[in-house]
Amino acid sequence: MDLSGALQRVGEDDPNAAVAKAKEQLDSLDSVTLNIAVTGETGAGKSAFINAFRGLGDDDDNSAPTGVTETTTQITMYTHPTKSNTRLWDLPGIGMPKFKANEFLKDVKFETYDLFIIISSERFKENDVFLAKEIQKKKKNFYFVRTKIDNDIRSAAQKRNFNEQQVLCTIREDCNRNLKEVGNPKVFLISSYDLGKYDFQDLVDTLESDLSEHKSFALVQSVPVCSLAMLEKKKELMEKLIWLPALASCLGAFVPFPGLSVVIDKTVLTAYLLGCHYNLGLNEKSLTKLSERMDKPVSQLQSAIKSPVTSAVVNTLATRPHASMKTKPVKSLDDLLDSKFLVASVLNATEAFKATHAVLSEALNDMINDMRRVLQVAGLDG
Ligand SMILES: Nc1nc2c(ncn2[C@@H]2O[C@H](COP(=O)(O)OP(=O)(O)OP(=O)(O)O)[C@@H](O)[C@H]2O)c(=O)[nH]1
Ligand SMILES: [Mg+2]
């Protein structure tokens, strides 16, 4: 996209006003809230799903307590660790002694939630169908998730003539049998302990297409990079939006005298790149989580990170130098950006936008390639 395309997107002819508008739009993208309610019977796997969605393990700090004994007894909100305006609500299922159907309807403020996920680890029951109908009445979307699929596959694999697709198909049909009354909705089969498998990606795709543009952006930003397919999804979204920080960073670029040196707002670029780094799962916490899950040393995953931009982000974030960086000097993100703009000839608004767009695209592409290599090393590239 060139400058005139970007100006058209924000609906402004005046470049200076367009920059201000682009900043506003970036802020509003950042501040949009997404409220996902997760409900289902006790032990169904609500809390484990919420933890997985937040990229946390069940034992992490701030994770939702999980267990075989009844643990969720009141509505609890969990914010996303890096995207605090994505909220997951742990809703005890209907039918629990403490949460009878009429009390549930009274207590649950339907308008709070953008969508409902109804979880079961078995067949869906009368209460699930009842709830879906109530949600339907309130004109909200609901999605059925059949969880703990890894358990089903593990036990089925013990049998002769095991065929994974066949097992999944049988579970799906079995679930659907009880959901005819609510219009035969699609049932998403997932394992909270392996989101890269089964229907999690399909669930995210479906939610994304049902949500408004801003909310779907919040959704895709917050889902963990559990597979190569999820990484590609994030890449697509980030590339689609790159024109916005590119335009927003053209601060002072539009001086009316051609030939005057222009100013690029590095704080916008830096904030955007730091956000991408988190969203792609390149931050230390996410890599540690991935290393635990895939049983690979974190140093091995980190060795897949080759781009100067990712190293510069890590360097900018680090309070102490990283072990792998002690040997080679690494630029800060600020210095790296300076060196990129030094080679670009930025004399006017068109060139300023071209330069910020190119720098952001290249940096994003480098980070995505880093994450692709990390996934390969982790064994998640299949
Ligand atoms: N194998 C496997 N176990 C799971 C999965 N999801 C949850 N579990 C286990 O199932 C048990 C119950 O999960 P929770 O997430 O605590 O269930 P819950 O719906 O929050 O239960 P309550 O809080 O009692 O309403 C825990 O022991 C989890 O470890 C999954 O996808 N796969
Ligand atoms: Mg729970």
Side-chain angles (χ1 to χ4, degrees):
M1 188 186 289
D2 61 5
L3 180 64
S4 62
L7 295 183
Q8 224 169 21
R9 287 291 292 270
V10 288
E12 278 289 347
D13 295 332
D14 170 43
N16 287 310
V19 169
K21 234 178 172 176
K23 278 199 171 139
E24 252 171 52
Q25 287 194 16
L26 261 187
D27 286 346
S28 78
L29 269 182
D30 256 350
S31 58
V32 65
T33 53
L34 174 65
N35 287 294
I36 301 177
V38 181
T39 187
E41 289 208 331
T42 179
K46 299 178 288 296
S47 304
F49 176 80
I50 288 173
N51 292 337
F53 196 100
R54 295 165 74 222
L56 300 177
D58 288 344
D59 302 325
D60 287 7
D61 292 348
N62 305 322
S63 68
T66 57
V68 282
T69 54
E70 204 174 278
T71 40
T72 311
T73 52
Q74 59 190 32
I75 299 175
T76 314
M77 182 193 81
Y78 294 93
T79 56
H80 192 269
T82 56
K83 187 108 190 56
S84 60
N85 33 8
T86 297
R87 300 170 185 156
L88 289 121
W89 298 78
D90 200 334
L91 258 56
I94 297 183
M96 279 185 43
K98 291 179 195 133
F99 229 38
K100 292 269 187 287
N102 49 359
E103 278 166 48
F104 187 95
L105 297 181
K106 198 166 72 225
D107 284 2
V108 174
K109 304 209 167 14
F110 284 88
E111 65 285 356
T112 309
Y113 311 106
D114 293 296
L115 60 103
F116 288 76
I117 289 179
I118 305 175
I119 289 199
S120 177
S121 54
E122 300 159 10
R123 284 176 196 153
F124 291 93
K125 310 249 171 71
E126 217 175 297
N127 278 330
D128 299 313
V129 173
F130 170 80
L131 178 60
K133 283 182 180 167
E134 290 301 319
I135 298 169
Q136 219 162 22
K137 277 187 205 159
K138 302 278 191 309
K139 308 235 174 322
K140 295 273 174 178
N141 286 341
F142 57 86
Y143 303 85
F144 284 102
V145 165
R146 164 63 160 81
T147 189
K148 305 192 197 175
I149 293 297
D150 53 320
N151 279 346
D152 298 85
I153 295 297
R154 201 173 315 112
S155 18
Q158 309 297 322
K159 302 195 182 120
R160 256 186 300 134
N161 305 329
F162 163 69
N163 175 326
E164 182 171 305
Q165 282 313 314
Q166 191 90 52
V167 177
L168 297 177
C169 196
T170 309
I171 298 173
R172 225 182 278 281
E173 282 169 5
D174 191 36
C175 286
N176 275 328
R177 212 163 293 141
N178 293 349
L179 298 176
K180 291 210 173 72
E181 274 183 69
V182 271
N184 245 337
K186 184 173 166 61
V187 174
F188 299 91
L189 312 185
I190 70 144
S191 159
S192 292
Y193 297 145
D194 198 349
L195 293 183
K197 278 198 180 144
Y198 318 117
D199 294 342
F200 183 68
Q201 177 89 27
D202 193 4
L203 175 67
V204 173
D205 289 345
T206 308
L207 300 185
E208 186 198 5
S209 66
D210 290 350
L211 287 165
S212 68
E213 195 186 6
H214 276 42
K215 293 207 186 236
S216 72
F217 178 66
L219 172 85
V220 176
Q221 265 192 323
S222 30
V223 284
V225 182
C226 50
S227 63
L228 205 50
M230 198 60 88
L231 179 65
E232 294 305 324
K233 179 159 211 72
K234 292 205 176 210
K235 172 178 184 274
E236 201 182 301
L237 179 94
M238 288 167 168
E239 283 176 347
K240 208 166 89 186
L241 279 169
I242 217 162
W243 66 273
L244 203 51
L247 181 59
S249 57
C250 288
L251 175 92
F254 308 129
V255 282
F257 308 104
L260 270 190
S261 65
V262 292
V263 182
I264 305 251
D265 188 351
K266 274 191 294 182
T267 55
V268 173
L269 299 174
T270 305
Y272 186 76
L273 292 176
L274 291 181
C276 291
H277 179 260
Y278 267 116
N279 295 335
L280 291 169
L282 283 161
N283 55 316
E284 197 171 343
K285 220 171 176 176
S286 299
L287 291 179
T288 308
K289 212 64 263 143
L290 186 63
S291 94
E292 286 165 8
R293 190 157 72 83
M294 301 309 290
D295 206 14
K296 298 264 166 156
V298 73
S299 57
Q300 205 175 331
L301 300 184
Q302 275 165 339
S303 69
I305 294 175
K306 309 256 189 245
S307 80
V309 62
T310 306
S311 305
V313 170
V314 175
N315 188 25
T316 304
L317 293 171
T319 43
R320 60 192 154 81
H322 206 275
S324 63
M325 281 166 197
K326 279 182 190 145
T327 44
K328 47 179 183 184
V330 176
K331 280 186 175 164
S332 73
L333 193 54
D334 219 37
D335 292 343
L336 188 86
L337 288 172
D338 279 343
S339 67
K340 300 257 178 210
F341 287 111
L342 210 62
V343 290
S345 70
V346 183
L347 294 172
N348 55 37
T350 306
E351 284 171 8
F353 180 79
K354 206 168 143 191
T356 53
H357 197 280
V359 166
L360 281 180
S361 299
E362 190 192 322
L364 181 61
N365 197 37
D366 286 353
M367 282 199 265
I368 289 166
N369 283 335
D370 275 339
M371 194 55 198
R372 222 177 255 137
R373 279 189 294 269
V374 168
L375 291 178
Q376 259 160 17
V377 172
L380 278 173
D381 54 333

